[in-house]
Amino acid sequence: MKGINARKADHINICLNDRIEPDYNYWNDVKLIHEALPEIDYDDVDTSSNVLGRRLDFPFMVTAITGGFDGAKKINANIAKACAELGIGMGTGSERAGIDGVDADSYSIIKDYDVPLVIGNIGAPQLIPQKNKRAYGKEDIEKAIELIDADYVALHLNFLQEVVQPEGDTASEGCLDAIRRIASEYPVIVKETGAGISPDTLSRLEGFGIRAVDLAGMGGTSFSAVELYRARNEKDAIRTRIGETFFDWGIPTPVSLEWAETTMPLIASGGIRTGLDVARAIAMGATCVGAANLVLREAMESADAVKNKLIIIREELKAAMLLTGSADIQELSKKRYILIGQTEQWIRGMNKWM
């Protein structure tokens, strides 16, 4: 089996070169209502928002991408510089490698930039014992925070990825108790990684002191797909077949948002491709919106390339706000919308047994 740094390099190469997303775009099923007389000047539209106690210039973060291999330092530096200049949030990839002393500077480079909201990242599977692996404890959480001066730590739920990954950590019993324990002592976000979160799971997470939940639904990067290619390269027939079977497994993000009934702030990531998608998510109840693969290719190039891509996202959001008559994010969050297509079918199906 490959080491963790080689595995992380594989993930980036696959995301850049292979098909890793389902064909259907669920965000296009969310239709905002056009306002023909907005009575707002475009230049007066205010995209700023308070997200988890931080003021962002627009409610967006570049969510977890990478860390822990030779090329990750450049990627994280370019993203951090762009996010700092645009006044938005940033999450790092899993910090397991850095905690274990592998390419720690590929994470700590983030501290060189004044990013207004920084989110660390540890896998929930690592909070319990796995085969021949110890469970992470308080010292590891504190190291993850210190490594990047994180405001919050995301505990990511990635069991779809783990079940396909040749080296996957597939033990799950005890994760909920571990999350409860960590959340009682540290500022914690719970984050899926591309398969969405159901109402039942949200209800199980209530009352733990969790600061926010990133729904990270199906529709963007499929880590089943990412690990499928790795399993195929390693000639692991069983994991390859599982990856093919579960390529588009999960709950689409707009569906998770529509179903959600929780007091916890929600971050909507998974399949976000435009500023219009950001506006759709805010109207559906998200506090903040995130994307990762959206800027990966740009992050391989330069901070300016990342910044220019994100400026487009911001301006598309601003246009959507004007065209719905929303002077600010609070007004956008109250706008009506219509669901069509497969997303509406999901909702109708769910309503039969809720």
Side-chain angles (χ1 to χ4, degrees), residues 43 45 56 75 93 101 161 166 175 181 216 250 265 305 312:
D43 290 342
V45 172
L56 303 187
I75 294 172
Q161 178 183 11
C175 275
R181 184 175 64 253
I312 292 171

Side-chain angles (χ1 to χ4, degrees), residues 79-99:
I79 294 171
K81 186 174 188 292
C83 289
E85 291 180 0
L86 290 175
I88 60 174
M90 175 184 178
T92 186
S94 171
E95 293 183 82
R96 189 202 305 195
I99 290 170

Side-chain angles (χ1 to χ4, degrees), residues 169-325:
D169 294 331
T170 55
S172 173
E173 185 177 358
C175 275
L176 189 62
D177 284 341
I179 290 170
R180 180 189 293 113
R181 184 175 64 253
I182 298 298
S184 70
E185 299 187 56
Y186 301 97
V188 161
I189 292 169
V190 171
K191 171 181 172 53
E192 236 291 342
T193 58
I197 295 182
S198 72
D200 290 345
T201 302
L202 279 176
S203 68
R204 292 165 67 202
L205 293 169
E206 288 278 7
F208 291 2
I210 293 166
R211 309 300 179 85
V213 175
D214 185 343
L215 299 170
M218 186 261 287
T221 299
S222 164
F223 274 95
S224 178
V226 172
E227 297 298 347
L228 153 66
Y229 297 117
R230 294 189 62 247
R232 186 179 290 164
N233 290 338
E234 295 191 18
K235 301 187 182 340
D236 185 331
I238 292 175
R239 301 298 171 191
T240 297
R241 177 57 184 267
I242 294 173
E244 292 169 345
T245 300
F246 292 90
F247 189 103
D248 58 355
W249 173 267
I251 306 166
T253 313
V255 175
S256 282
L257 264 178
E258 183 71 6
W259 281 345
E261 294 183 5
T262 180
T263 59
M264 297 178 288
L266 297 175
I267 300 165
S269 64
I272 298 292
R273 298 172 178 87
T274 69
L276 176 55
D277 294 339
V278 176
R280 289 161 165 160
I282 297 296
M284 293 187 74
T287 296
C288 188
V289 182
N293 199 49
L294 177 73
V295 297
L296 175 57
R297 198 168 299 278
E298 289 77 10
M300 299 285 290
E301 180 183 338
S302 67
D304 282 344
V306 176
K307 183 178 177 180
N308 290 338
K309 183 68 169 286
L310 292 172
I311 286 172
I312 292 171
I313 300 299
R314 184 191 65 197
E315 294 306 305
E316 289 175 331
L317 167 63
K318 197 171 179 179
M321 292 174 67
L322 176 71
L323 296 173
T324 55

